[in-house]
Amino acid sequence: MILGKVTGTVVATQKDEKLVGSKLLIVQDVNLDGELERKYTVAVDAVGAGIGEIVLIATGSSARQTSVTSNKPVDGVVMAIVDTIEVDGEVRYMK
């Protein structure tokens, strides 16, 4: 799983029929201090995430394991919206 921040959306009017109705999000990787990294992933939204939210994404074959992405041509899925991140007893992020 990858920790990231939703920073944008992708609109594609022409796409595979299995992706029709799917919301595509741009997710920028975030480190444990909440700092943005220079890596981005386009992922199908399976949980109703919005711009600015910290999320968990799954990639590869695991991205096709949600009810929203099963048997679809996806390599990334937003599968959780993060409420809190705690490391060694220290809260690093709270929604």
Side-chain angles (χ1 to χ4, degrees), residues 22-89:
S22 296
K23 183 172 146 187
L24 302 174
L25 298 175
I26 299 171
V27 181
Q28 187 172 2
D29 285 13
V30 174
N31 66 26
L32 292 178
D33 291 319
E35 298 167 343
L36 297 172
E37 303 284 331
R38 294 190 65 155
K39 184 177 177 200
Y40 297 85
T41 303
V42 175
V44 172
D45 181 19
V47 293
I51 301 291
E53 289 191 289
I54 301 297
V55 297
L56 288 175
I57 62 172
T59 58
S61 61
S62 295
R64 294 181 294 281
Q65 301 301 313
T66 72
S67 60
V68 173
T69 58
S70 181
N71 297 315
K72 294 185 180 182
V74 301
D75 192 46
V77 63
V78 174
M79 39 69 92
I81 299 171
V82 175
D83 294 317
T84 306
I85 299 171
E86 182 179 326
V87 179
D88 291 329

